[in-house]
Amino acid sequence: MAQFQKNHTLSSEFIILGFGDLGELQIFFFGLFLIMHLVTLAGHTTIVLITLVDSCLQTPMYFFLRNLSTIEICYILVIVPNMLANFLSRSQRMSFLGCALQMHLFIALGGAECFLLAMMAYDRFVAICNPLRYTIIITRAVCLQMLTLACISGFALSLALTTLIFLLPFCQSHEINHFFCDIPAVLFLACSDTRANEVAVFFVCMLILLIPFLLILLSYAFIIASILRIHSAEGRSKAFSTCAGHLLVSVLHYGCAIFIYIRPKSCYTPEQDKVVSLIYTNVTPMLYPMIYSLRNKEVKGALRRLLKSYNQMKHQPNAR
């Protein structure tokens, strides 16, 4: 009983070490990542607004893109504000429940994003490989069902995994050498045998990361084969441009996540993990809106129409 109380006392609060070893550079990195955070929020919010208000973008592809940006906004808000606070302090205390909630939301939103990226690949597969039946297969009801399935799957798997991890005893160090409650960093602190938990993490990562990524690669194998059969160069270019952005985002997202999560606890390296985590929680989310907007004529056209409409309203004289 005394041992349980000791375990509970020590595990009731974690200390997030963050970037306390950066010294005077912390203020510089705080400013840098704050700017990146604001740019990321502005980019994803713009995509959400454009795809909501522009009548030309009321298609399944932009429905998925809008919800992908919405999930991405929630995803970075779970991590980045705490990370920015860590730049201004040597460490940050977080309650046991707060840490568990952060991990749950991070895995849930990340998982939903992974499933949604796979569904977007399926959407592109049907559009290019079976265009005559596209409107019959990809209906609004089907899109809503796919989105609901992605979110429920992400949150259910996350709840199971987070519960399994936080049932472990943390009876020694409770200092997390990371800037948020990430799976490897928290699992590293457990003082009991974690092999069963590592197997569970690997199994969930298979469901969230490897299987959707393999389905995306399979979809694009069929898509590329169909594109190569298109006779006109213009047709091939148009077909490829609608897929290139999604494929690049998928490779960036899954590449970083697979590197971090699909490996045993013995390979955990805190400093390396923090650098990779900085990339997939700050850099890649900032790139996504740029990738989609810069390579997509419809999105750029919708943005121009929105700005033109705003300027016209701004300069329109008030009715007397």
Side-chain angles (χ1 to χ4, degrees):
M1 186 69 177
Q3 181 66 31
F4 173 81
Q5 289 176 344
K6 180 183 177 184
N7 292 351
H8 179 75
T9 301
L10 287 176
S11 64
S12 64
E13 187 176 69
F14 291 103
I15 298 174
I16 311 295
L17 297 181
F19 305 94
D21 56 342
L22 289 177
E24 295 178 356
L25 290 174
Q26 284 183 271
I27 300 299
F28 168 76
F29 282 111
F30 170 80
L32 175 64
F33 284 102
L34 176 61
I35 293 170
M36 292 173 63
H37 181 54
L38 295 176
V39 169
T40 303
L41 287 177
H44 285 289
T45 303
T46 300
I47 286 180
V48 171
L49 292 176
I50 288 175
T51 54
L52 271 174
V53 303
D54 195 282
S55 58
C56 297
L57 301 183
Q58 304 305 308
T59 63
M61 183 173 77
Y62 294 108
F63 168 84
F64 289 125
L65 180 58
R66 176 170 65 251
N67 285 285
L68 182 68
S69 285
T70 302
I71 291 173
E72 196 69 45
I73 290 170
C74 299
Y75 174 83
I76 59 175
L77 287 176
V78 169
I79 303 298
V80 179
N82 280 340
M83 183 202 78
L84 292 173
N86 274 329
F87 277 119
L88 301 178
S89 61
R90 295 192 65 84
S91 63
Q92 187 179 44
R93 294 183 180 276
M94 184 176 288
S95 69
F96 180 84
L97 289 177
C99 190
L101 180 61
Q102 186 186 53
M103 182 184 288
H104 169 60
L105 292 175
F106 171 73
I107 300 170
L109 292 166
E113 184 174 349
C114 287
F115 292 131
L116 194 58
L117 284 169
M119 291 169 182
M120 291 173 74
Y122 175 70
D123 171 69
R124 293 297 85 206
F125 164 75
V126 177
I128 292 173
C129 299
N130 202 350
L132 297 179
R133 299 192 61 205
Y134 179 75
T135 55
I136 300 173
I137 297 173
I138 309 295
T139 63
R140 180 170 180 79
V142 168
C143 291
L144 288 171
Q145 290 169 5
M146 292 167 76
L147 174 63
T148 303
L149 179 62
C151 293
I152 290 176
S153 300
F155 275 82
L157 289 170
S158 174
L159 182 60
L161 185 58
T162 305
T163 302
L164 194 63
I165 290 173
F166 279 87
L167 284 176
L168 289 168
F170 301 97
C171 50
Q172 297 177 6
S173 172
H174 50 106
E175 294 182 343
I176 298 177
N177 190 8
H178 212 298
F179 57 88
F180 71 102
C181 293
D182 201 6
I183 297 172
V186 174
L187 201 57
F188 186 74
L189 299 181
C191 59
S192 65
D193 186 2
T194 61
R195 281 177 293 185
N197 301 79
E198 289 179 58
V199 170
V201 170
F202 180 78
F203 177 72
V204 171
C205 289
M206 284 280 291
L207 293 176
I208 290 178
L209 295 173
L210 281 183
I211 293 176
F213 189 49
L214 290 175
L215 289 174
I216 288 173
L217 294 180
L218 181 63
S219 296
Y220 275 102
F222 286 108
I223 287 170
I224 291 170
S226 294
I227 290 174
L228 293 177
R229 288 197 293 268
I230 298 174
H231 296 295
S232 68
E234 183 181 353
R236 286 195 300 270
S237 176
K238 184 178 179 182
F240 183 75
S241 66
T242 62
C243 301
H246 173 263
L247 181 59
L248 182 56
V249 166
S250 298
V251 170
L252 288 172
H253 181 81
Y254 285 99
C256 290
I258 288 171
F259 174 81
I260 288 286
Y261 298 111
I262 302 192
R263 57 180 178 169
K265 179 182 173 181
S266 58
C267 297
Y268 173 65
T269 50
E271 300 307 321
Q272 186 182 58
D273 277 28
K274 278 197 281 189
V275 172
V276 178
S277 297
L278 274 176
I279 293 172
Y280 77 74
T281 58
N282 292 269
V283 180
T284 53
M286 182 181 68
L287 295 177
Y288 295 168
M290 299 179 189
I291 292 170
Y292 280 117
S293 60
L294 291 177
R295 295 192 61 87
N296 194 303
K297 293 180 181 179
E298 291 178 324
V299 172
K300 288 189 287 186
L303 182 58
R304 282 195 295 267
R305 288 192 295 272
L306 185 64
L307 292 174
K308 184 179 178 181
S309 175
Y310 173 76
N311 288 329
Q312 288 175 347
M313 291 175 62
K314 186 177 178 180
H315 292 97
Q316 187 177 9
N318 293 329
R320 293 183 179 273

